[in-house]
Amino acid sequence: MNLHEYQAKGLFERHQIPIPRGCTAASPQEAHRAAAELGGTRWVVKAQVHAGGRGKAGGVVLVDSPEQVQSAAARLLGSRLVTHQSGPEGLPVDRVLVESPTAIARELYLGVLVDRAARRVAFMASSDGGMDIEQVAAATPERILVTHVDPAAGLQPWQCRRLGFGLGLQGGQIKALAGLMERLYRLFSECDASLVEVNPLVVTEAGELLALDAKINLDDNALSRHPELAALRDLAQEDPRESEARAHELSYISLDGNIGCMVNGAGLAMATMDLVKLHGGAPANFLDVGGGTTAARVAEAFKLILSDPKVSAVLVNIFGGIVRCDLIAEGIIAAVREVHVGVPVVVRLEGTNAAAGLAMLAESRLPIETAASLREAADKVVAAALGGQR
Ligand code: GDP
Ligand code: MN
């Protein structure tokens, strides 16, 4: 789960990580008021969306009067911001963050993430922070410094000093960085985050370190331990089908292809997607209905897949181990009867009560094709998606 910048900065503040002064606003009038409250003569207005790259997309604006704060907010609020991370549709801007501007001497990058390959939490830092960090990582990876934290020993002062010197920091800044890294590490661990990123971490003209931007990704699997963080979820920023799936405890991830896949078990779902690809098709989604699924769950999964306008055929691949194939067949039949299914459906059932399930599908007289093997199923669904069927 992603947090907004303003939410991440709220957590930063609680962990005593220095951030610019700011207030959020959901209307242009509120933004005007926020500017007046902050005082000063210049302000930064920042669109709050779950995507980076806002600076380059016009989502971060520097202005000189409360009226300009208001008009910048009026332009951003209610619009969809398209950045290189948001996808072509962009993301809705329902809130802006109004901040007092910072006089920047240097823009650094500092990130904390789980390095799966190393099986450790890693800190990454670069003196080339700011809006082109992806390019730096791609073109000059040697300019990214990395240090891994031993989970038993915790973050060590020498690691912070090494990054500090590597970033070209001096004197008290090294100490400031060490304190900041320690607090970031505590925040990262306490929140069960998978990523905390400060880009840019700035050195101000006064020589101080300040988190000018903040990004936090939380580990969904640990969210149940953090109801107060789970409450920060902003559904407007998320794929509505993925939210719907979560409500029904289905693991669903939408993809770019046109073949809807309904499978029980994540491993089988991956294998199914591979086979669809191998036969020249492209999956529209990853969907694991779970091991002990029910007819009702299958019906929900069906509706979910069909709500995606890209889907031009559906492949159901169920292996009945714990689950009974006749119950799955019942779910498929109920779903196909309930929702208008305008696309071909290919079903492969294998395992417990498969024969009974296939017989039920045949007797239903619904336009459902069955397949005896996964290979045949993939073949049939790819042909069907190409428009060969109806
Ligand atoms: P992102 O593009 O979505 O990552 O948004 P950021 O919050 O990182 O802002 C993008 C860029 O705007 C930063 O790299 C800065 O160069 C600039 N910026 C943001 N806030 C300030 C500020 O207070 N003062 C100045 N001078 N520049 C700022
Ligand atoms: Mn940024």
Side-chain angles (χ1 to χ4, degrees):
M1 177 181 129
N2 285 330
L3 297 183
H4 281 293
E5 175 194 8
Y6 78 91
Q7 297 169 328
K9 281 182 168 167
L11 290 172
F12 277 20
E13 193 167 30
R14 251 197 270 161
H15 283 79
Q16 277 121 36
I17 295 161
I19 52 166
R21 289 201 322 122
C23 309
T24 61
S27 72
Q29 295 74 23
E30 254 180 65
H32 188 283
R33 238 176 292 140
E37 254 169 59
L38 287 170
T41 54
R42 299 190 81 200
W43 295 268
V44 188
V45 182
K46 305 181 80 175
Q48 298 299 290
V49 291
H50 284 188
R54 296 165 302 166
K56 287 194 172 161
V60 177
V61 197
L62 268 142
V63 293
D64 310 310
S65 71
E67 289 67 41
Q68 286 174 7
V69 169
Q70 177 162 353
S71 59
R75 185 172 58 74
L76 290 170
L77 289 166
S79 74
R80 293 183 77 90
L81 188 69
V82 181
T83 80
H84 69 91
Q85 289 184 359
S86 69
E89 316 256 281
L91 288 166
V93 183
D94 295 326
R95 203 173 278 273
V96 293
L97 176 60
V98 182
E99 284 186 338
S100 296
T102 304
I104 301 174
R106 295 182 61 201
E107 298 200 13
L108 312 174
Y109 171 91
L110 183 63
V112 196
L113 69 156
V114 177
D115 181 344
R116 285 168 189 269
R119 297 190 289 175
R120 300 232 157 152
V121 170
F123 273 85
M124 296 173 101
S126 176
S127 43
D128 301 324
M131 297 199 269
D132 294 312
I133 190 68
E134 283 97 344
Q135 229 172 297
V136 173
T140 47
E142 70 279 3
R143 297 192 62 84
I144 311 272
L145 311 169
V146 184
T147 186
H148 290 94
V149 182
D150 182 312
L155 180 67
Q156 297 295 306
W158 65 265
Q159 297 184 288
C160 306
R161 283 198 297 273
R162 210 184 73 191
L163 287 195
F165 286 118
L167 291 172
L169 298 180
Q170 285 152 6
Q173 293 169 351
I174 306 256
K175 206 164 177 190
L177 180 77
L180 200 142
M181 285 174 67
E182 246 161 58
R183 284 173 231 133
L184 272 181
Y185 185 63
R186 193 169 319 136
L187 184 159
F188 185 91
S189 311
E190 281 177 11
C191 295
D192 289 311
S194 50
L195 174 76
V196 177
E197 205 175 52
V198 187
N199 186 34
L201 169 68
V202 299
V203 180
T204 65
E205 280 178 357
E208 254 135 39
L209 294 182
L210 195 66
L212 208 67
D213 193 7
K215 175 181 170 134
I216 296 183
N217 286 353
L218 300 170
D219 182 345
D220 283 344
N221 295 311
L223 266 186
S224 60
R225 310 209 294 187
H226 306 286
E228 75 295 347
L229 295 179
L232 299 178
R233 191 183 280 284
D234 182 356
L235 287 176
Q237 299 290 321
E238 299 186 5
D239 181 322
R241 270 184 292 277
E242 290 180 14
S243 310
E244 179 73 16
R246 195 173 328 104
H248 291 101
E249 291 174 39
L250 300 162
S251 305
Y252 175 93
I253 293 161
S254 66
L255 301 168
D256 294 334
N258 64 345
I259 296 177
C261 300
M262 184 193 328
V263 189
N264 66 329
L268 189 59
M270 298 298 279
T272 304
M273 286 163 32
D274 279 351
L275 226 70
V276 165
K277 273 270 190 196
L278 190 66
H279 284 77
N285 64 278
F286 167 96
L287 172 57
D288 171 12
V289 292
T293 196
T294 59
R297 202 108 156 265
V298 168
E300 285 308 325
F302 231 99
K303 284 189 232 164
L304 196 64
I305 290 175
L306 291 169
S307 69
D308 180 351
K310 294 193 311 292
V311 168
S312 56
V314 178
L315 170 57
V316 182
N317 181 24
I318 301 289
F319 181 80
I322 299 167
V323 63
R324 282 166 38 194
C325 290
D326 54 327
L327 288 183
I328 296 291
E330 197 183 306
I332 297 170
I333 292 165
V336 173
R337 288 217 165 107
E338 193 186 326
V339 237
H340 169 73
V341 181
V343 298
V345 178
V346 179
V347 179
R348 180 249 183 177
L349 295 175
E350 189 57 82
T352 310
N353 292 0
L358 289 171
M360 286 166 69
L361 291 177
E363 277 159 27
S364 74
R365 305 200 166 278
L366 291 169
I368 298 172
E369 257 208 90
T370 57
S373 70
L374 183 45
R375 204 168 292 269
E376 185 188 330
D379 229 5
K380 279 187 171 169
V381 81
V382 170
L386 286 172
Q389 289 303 101
R390 63 190 93 152

